[in-house]
Amino acid sequence: QVQPVESGGGLVQAGGSLRLSCAASGRTFSSYFMGWFRQAPGKEREFVASVSGGGTYTYYADSVKGRFTISRDNAKNTVNLQMNNLKPEDTAVYYCAGGLLAGTSIRAYNYWGQGTQVTVSS
């Protein structure tokens, strides 16, 4: 299993950038798909981006394509989300999660971090 812990959230102005990091304990980290999800107040948690265990495959929600980049460093058991050209609608609590099958569906992720708040002001 993996135990993700997110960091890097904060307040940023629209058009700015922010990088989220996720540190995940576990000897089998490279076996897991890792994904980022977000949840805004009053809305359901939604998929943002994910990366396969070896880093070969990446997937993005249409709303963030071209703006966000997911990456991982298996030697350090970390996964990052570089967020550029942020918009107010990106405001949410961002969660890092892992799953052996994974992909883009929230149902496929079994291990979740505590979340980190991202607030984008206009």
Side-chain angles (χ1 to χ4, degrees), residues 8-10 12 18 20 83 86 90-94 116-120:
V12 65
L18 203 62
L20 304 183
M83 304 184 294
L86 284 161
D90 294 319
T91 296
V93 176
Y94 283 70
T116 185
Q117 177 71 47
V118 172
T119 303
V120 184

Side-chain angles (χ1 to χ4, degrees), residues 34-37 47-51 59-61 64 68 70 81 103 109:
M34 298 299 296
W36 288 95
F37 296 79
F47 169 79
V48 176
S50 65
V51 58
Y59 303 90
Y60 297 93
V64 306
F68 291 10
I70 189 170
L81 184 68
Y109 290 83

Side-chain angles (χ1 to χ4, degrees), residues 33-121:
F33 248 89
M34 298 299 296
W36 288 95
F37 296 79
R38 66 188 183 187
Q39 187 167 22
K43 302 189 70 176
E44 293 187 349
R45 193 169 299 184
E46 65 176 359
F47 169 79
V48 176
S50 65
V51 58
S52 62
T56 301
Y57 306 100
T58 57
Y59 303 90
Y60 297 93
D62 288 341
S63 60
V64 306
K65 284 181 180 177
R67 299 189 298 122
F68 291 10
T69 303
I70 189 170
S71 62
R72 69 189 297 159
D73 185 342
N74 287 344
K76 297 181 178 180
N77 278 26
T78 58
V79 59
N80 298 320
L81 184 68
Q82 179 65 47
M83 304 184 294
N84 298 326
N85 191 25
L86 284 161
K87 304 175 180 180
E89 48 263 46
D90 294 319
T91 296
V93 176
Y94 283 70
Y95 297 89
C96 179
L100 286 175
L101 298 179
T104 61
S105 174
I106 192 171
R107 182 181 177 275
Y109 290 83
N110 309 113
Y111 307 99
W112 294 83
Q114 80 288 348
T116 185
Q117 177 71 47
V118 172
T119 303
V120 184
S121 62

Side-chain angles (χ1 to χ4, degrees), residues 6-25:
E6 306 94 333
S7 63
L11 176 65
V12 65
Q13 293 184 347
S17 298
L18 203 62
R19 186 178 72 179
L20 304 183
S21 295
C22 174
S25 63

